[in-house]
Every structure is written in C-alpha cells, then in structure tokens.
Amino acid sequence: MSTINVREKLLEVAGPVFSEKGFEKATVREICQKADVNVASVNYYFGDKEQLYLEVICLAKPMGVSRAPLPEWNEHTPPEQKLEDWVITLVRRMLGTGELSWSNHLIMREVLRPTRACDHLVQELFRPFVNIADKILLEILGDEVPDYRRMQCIFSIAAQCQFYRVSGSLVTLMLGEEEQKTHYNTEQIIEHILQFSLSAIKNLKHEYLSSEMESSSSLNQI
Amino acid sequence: MSTINVREKLLEVAGPVFSEKGFEKATVREICQKADVNVASVNYYFGDKEQLYLEVICLAKPMGVSRAPLPEWNEHTPPEQKLEDWVITLVRRMLGTGELSWSNHLIMREVLRPTRACDHLVQELFRPFVNIADKILLEILGDEVPDYRRMQCIFSIAAQCQFYRVSGSLVTLMLGEEEQKTHYNTEQIIEHILQFSLSAIKNLKHEYLSSEMESSSSLNQI
DNA sequence: AATTGTATTAAACACGTGTTTAAATTCAAA
DNA sequence: TTTGAATTTAAACACGTGTTTAATACAATT
C-alpha cells in the first residue's frame, strides 16, 4: 500500500492532531489511523510518542515562521512602521487560520504548557523574534529608558495578542457572537493593540525625556 | 475515623487537586486518598467526577472574590484611583499565592479551557467585574468614546494580567530567574500594567477630544 | 536459490482510569 | 433486641492508553 515513507506520513499527520488535541489527549491510535499505518509504527520509527512529538515541534517551527514572515526593511524604514509590522506578524502567527496554522497553534501550546521542546523554541524562535522588537523599541525610546522597561512593553504587546488566542472562547461568552464579529476581527484587533501599545510606549519615552530636564516622574502627566 | 461529613471532606480536598492538575489529570483516587475516604465515595455522594467538579467550582467563586475584594469607594474617589484598585485586585486574584489561591487558579483554568461551569462564572463573576471597569473607563473617557473601545481597553488590561499567570514559565525562560526576581515581582508588574494601560487610555481620550474640535485622528499625535 | 535484514501486521500486554457491585458495617429508630 | 435504611468497604468491571511481541512479507544481497 504505502507509496511513500511511513515515517514522513506520520510526521505529516501528527502535526495537526497534536495541535488540535495537545500531546496528552492526542492518541497514537488516532494518528496511525489517519496516516493509514499500523499502531506499532510510531514506536518502530520514533521510539515512543514523545519523540514523535518533539520531531513534530521541530518541523512546526520553520513552518510557522514561513507562514507569516516579517517584511523586509531598509535603513530608512521608521521604527513605528517596523513595530507595526512586528505586531501584525505576531498577531498573524498567533491568530492565523488556514493551511499551516496548526504549526503556530502547536507552538502556542508549548508556551502555555512547556515541555522539553520549549527550551528549543525559546532559543531558536522566541528570543530572536523578541530581540527584533527590542531593537525597534530601542530606536523609539532611546537608551535613557532602561532595558527591563522595553521588555515589559514587549510582554504587554505579546500579552494582548496571546489573550485573543487563548481566551477567544471567553471573549465570545462575554461579548456575544454579534458584537465579536462586528468589532473583533483580526484587523480590528491589530489596530487596537497597535494604537493602545504605541501610545503607551510614546508616553513612556516622554516620561523619561521630561525626567531628564526637570525631575518629575509619575503617571499623571499627560 | 471521619469526624465530619465525608461529602464536605471531599469538597474541601478536591478544590486544590482540581486546581493543580486540572479536571482531566486529577484522579478520583488521589482525591479520595487525600480525603481519607473510599474510592467509591465520589460516585456515591456526587454521582460522578464531573458533578463533584461543578460543585467545587461553585465553591471557588465566592472564595476567590473574598480573598481579594475590591476596596470601598465613595463619590469623591477619582476614577484613576478606582482603576488602579481594579487592576490591583485583578492582578491579586490572578497572580495571588497562598491560602485560598487554589480557587482563583481553578477559575483561571476555566477561562483557558471552558467547561459547562464557565457560563456560570461569566454571568456571576466576570461580567459584573468587567462592568465595574467599564463604568470607571466611562468616567475617564466620557461617552464620546464608543462602547466597544472601552471593552477593548479592558481586554488589554486583563490580557496583561493573564499573561503573567499563563506564561509565567515562558517569562522565566526568556529572562532568566535573576532578572525575573529583580524586575518582575507582583508589585512591579502591577505598576507597569497600570502605567502602560493608563497612558494608552488617556491618549485614547485625547484622540476623541481632538477629533471633536478638528478632524485629525491617528496614532501620530503625541 | 538461499539468506539476511528491514518493514508490516494483528494480537496481546501492562497499566491507569472512572465506575459499579455486592457484601459488610454502622447506627439510629421501632 | 430487632429492624432496616444509610454508609462504608474491598473487589472487580469496562474501557482506553502507550507499548511490546512474535509472526509474516518482502526486497536486497550473497
């Protein structure tokens, strides 16, 4: 029967299953059934279920990136434009639906309940991506703003993106499906996150600018 | 042995177990063992595991609220103060540790993977709490800002709080434990979320104020 | 053609789960 | 003391899980 490699067929089929059910609730039997191979194949080719999972994660990483890549920038691209691109990319990766979206869903699962694979993702995927945002914020904020403040801002942006992925069902319960479809499609979410975050960041810059000239510092200065 | 009601003992013990392991991974055997009762007791007193879970959720709701209540306000309390109290309360409920923290952890689980119990929580807990924030934002923003904009801001605040609960282990992996303990204790997280969000909200107000007088509207107006 | 090693298969294994059963026990009311 | 319902108990049940096994098929090699 099997025209091609059973091993590849398993890797191909396991991704969406792990993504939808998670590692624990996904069953070897379901994966093998969908791959049209025998139940023992997973253990024969991968040793055990977890090894298969780890290899799937490693495949998911480049897939997720290529599905929603960052645009090209040149030296004249303003940092606000870069930040917008970065946020759009992050939202697309987190909320995206369609063809290869299982890869990003799977990566999201790792964030929420890290397994051994998460270290790898942090080093190879998250940290580089965060570093890009950090450089952008450095351009916007200047180096008077301390490092940890930039990271807090990046976390705040990522948090908002993650919220709509993780708590999507809660949002539906809170708003009703009508309101949600009216004001909470992906583009509107991106626009809000961008405006909300960018104004907060700009204000942070002003806070440190003014604290250089005079010595005021607080929230009540808009 | 059992000095008191077996039923109550089960309810008391099941809370922390469900909170730590989640509904699926928590086992009836562990609960009964910790309660010092026979394995069959859960089915005898509650019918099945899920009924026990639902009753535990109902107990968790008032516990979580009483553990971190909102302070009293009077008619002279400024809305910025109220918002600060609201955020502090939300962070305390989400990130709190200690005695009764299992109840809020359990409620967080419902948000991330809603069961039938979530409808109840939304109606009795989340919506009233969000409505409070909505009124505060109405005070700050005025009614020129459309309703859905206020809700987006509330989601952005809640998102930041949720992030540090849900992705705490990711934050640790990204920062290293040193940096995390230096700049990411609960008080500093609260301060950042407050400053970040309040400046974004104030800016939103200014945007709508200026769009009443002139017709400009955009992000680049700080 | 015989042999060797890889690949595939159906079956069974070992274990943990929620649940049920039926007997034993308790304990208060008659 | 007897009765009978409520409770507690140990054991087993039914099912799903990942994994292993031993037999078989098949192609490549000698």
Side-chain angles (χ1 to χ4, degrees):
Chain A
M1 173 70 69
S2 65
T3 62
I4 44 165
N5 210 341
V6 170
R7 199 187 141 89
E8 288 181 24
K9 187 82 184 172
L10 276 173
L11 282 172
E12 183 187 332
V13 166
V17 176
F18 279 132
S19 166
E20 188 191 352
K21 310 278 182 76
F23 176 76
E24 324 263 356
K25 304 201 80 180
T27 72
V28 172
R29 282 180 165 79
E30 177 186 0
I31 292 170
C32 290
Q33 184 184 336
K34 290 190 174 172
D36 247 329
V37 300
N38 188 272
V39 214
S41 304
V42 165
N43 298 274
Y44 182 78
Y45 283 102
F46 297 92
D48 59 4
K49 182 186 176 186
E50 190 183 6
Q51 269 304 315
L52 168 62
Y53 176 77
L54 292 178
E55 294 210 27
V56 167
I57 290 277
C58 289
L59 284 181
K61 183 192 60 179
M63 272 185 178
V65 171
S66 68
R67 201 185 71 88
L70 276 170
E72 303 275 342
W73 298 322
N74 58 48
E75 64 271 23
H76 303 111
T77 311
E80 287 82 2
Q81 177 64 50
K82 292 184 191 171
L83 187 63
E84 179 170 344
D85 290 337
W86 189 88
V87 171
I88 289 174
T89 302
L90 182 58
V91 172
R92 291 245 171 87
R93 288 185 186 173
M94 283 194 176
L95 303 184
T97 56
E99 194 64 22
L100 263 34
S101 64
W102 65 264
S103 52
N104 288 317
H105 288 215
L106 188 55
I107 289 172
M108 278 284 92
R109 279 191 184 276
E110 271 300 310
V111 171
L112 298 182
R113 191 167 302 276
T115 71
R116 267 190 295 132
C118 198
D119 290 21
H120 182 244
L121 288 177
V122 167
Q123 200 164 345
E124 301 284 324
L125 187 62
F126 299 148
R127 235 198 277 273
F129 192 68
V130 162
N131 282 343
I132 293 172
D134 194 54
K135 279 176 196 151
I136 298 171
L137 286 190
L138 183 61
E139 280 190 70
I140 296 179
L141 293 174
D143 49 11
E144 299 90 7
V145 178
D147 295 354
Y148 76 94
R149 293 286 240 165
R150 291 199 305 276
M151 193 57 93
Q152 285 176 335
C153 290
I154 295 172
F155 282 154
S156 284
I157 296 174
Q160 293 171 77
C161 300
Q162 191 187 69
F163 176 79
Y164 289 99
R165 152 133 303 278
V166 157
S167 304
S169 43
L170 181 77
V171 171
T172 309
L173 282 177
M174 290 291 296
L175 297 175
E177 296 192 16
E178 294 296 322
E179 174 72 1
Q180 189 177 15
K181 283 179 181 169
T182 312
H183 292 119
Y184 291 85
N185 60 47
T186 304
E187 288 182 15
Q188 286 165 302
I189 289 175
I190 288 178
E191 195 180 325
H192 165 72
I193 293 177
L194 261 173
Q195 177 172 349
F196 191 89
S197 306
L198 198 52
S199 54
I201 289 168
K202 295 264 181 176
N203 186 265
L204 181 62
K205 176 178 183 176
H206 282 244
E207 184 195 339
Y208 276 84
L209 278 182
S210 61
S211 74
E212 278 186 331
M213 296 183 280
E214 30 183 358
S215 65
S216 82
S217 73
S218 171
L219 290 73
N220 320 329
Q221 62 175 14
I222 291 198
Chain B
M1 174 65 71
S2 66
T3 61
I4 43 164
N5 211 341
V6 171
R7 199 187 140 90
E8 287 181 23
K9 187 82 184 173
L10 277 172
L11 283 172
E12 181 188 334
V13 167
V17 175
F18 279 132
S19 166
E20 189 191 353
K21 310 280 182 76
F23 175 75
E24 325 262 355
K25 304 201 79 180
T27 71
V28 171
R29 281 180 166 80
E30 178 186 358
I31 292 171
C32 290
Q33 183 183 336
K34 290 190 173 170
D36 248 329
V37 300
N38 188 271
V39 216
S41 303
V42 164
N43 298 275
Y44 182 77
Y45 282 103
F46 297 91
D48 61 3
K49 183 186 174 186
E50 191 183 4
Q51 269 303 316
L52 168 62
Y53 177 77
L54 293 178
E55 294 211 25
V56 168
I57 290 277
C58 290
L59 285 181
K61 185 192 60 177
M63 272 185 179
V65 171
S66 69
R67 201 186 71 90
L70 275 171
E72 304 275 343
W73 298 323
N74 58 49
E75 64 270 21
H76 303 110
T77 310
E80 287 82 4
Q81 177 64 49
K82 291 184 191 171
L83 187 63
E84 179 170 343
D85 291 337
W86 190 86
V87 171
I88 290 174
T89 301
L90 182 58
V91 171
R92 292 246 171 86
R93 288 185 186 173
M94 282 194 177
L95 304 183
T97 57
E99 194 65 22
L100 262 34
S101 63
W102 66 263
S103 52
N104 288 318
H105 288 215
L106 188 55
I107 289 172
M108 277 283 92
R109 280 192 184 275
E110 272 299 312
V111 171
L112 299 182
R113 191 168 301 277
T115 71
R116 267 190 295 133
C118 198
D119 290 21
H120 181 243
L121 288 177
V122 166
Q123 200 164 344
E124 301 285 323
L125 186 62
F126 300 147
R127 235 198 277 273
F129 191 68
V130 163
N131 282 343
I132 292 172
D134 194 54
K135 280 176 195 150
I136 297 172
L137 286 190
L138 184 60
E139 279 189 70
I140 297 179
L141 293 173
D143 49 13
E144 299 90 7
V145 178
D147 295 354
Y148 77 94
R149 293 285 241 164
R150 290 199 304 276
M151 193 56 94
Q152 285 176 335
C153 291
I154 294 172
F155 281 154
S156 284
I157 296 174
Q160 294 172 77
C161 301
Q162 191 187 71
F163 177 78
Y164 288 99
R165 151 132 304 277
V166 156
S167 304
S169 43
L170 182 78
V171 171
T172 308
L173 282 177
M174 291 290 297
L175 297 175
E177 296 192 14
E178 294 297 320
E179 173 71 2
Q180 188 177 16
K181 284 180 181 169
T182 311
H183 292 119
Y184 291 84
N185 60 49
T186 304
E187 288 183 14
Q188 287 166 301
I189 289 175
I190 288 177
E191 195 180 327
H192 165 72
I193 294 177
L194 260 173
Q195 178 173 349
F196 191 91
S197 305
L198 198 52
S199 54
I201 289 167
K202 295 264 181 176
N203 185 265
L204 182 63
K205 176 178 184 176
H206 283 243
E207 183 195 339
Y208 276 84
L209 278 183
S210 60
S211 74
E212 278 187 329
M213 297 182 280
E214 30 183 358
S215 64
S216 83
S217 74
S218 170
L219 292 71
N220 321 328
Q221 61 176 13
I222 291 197

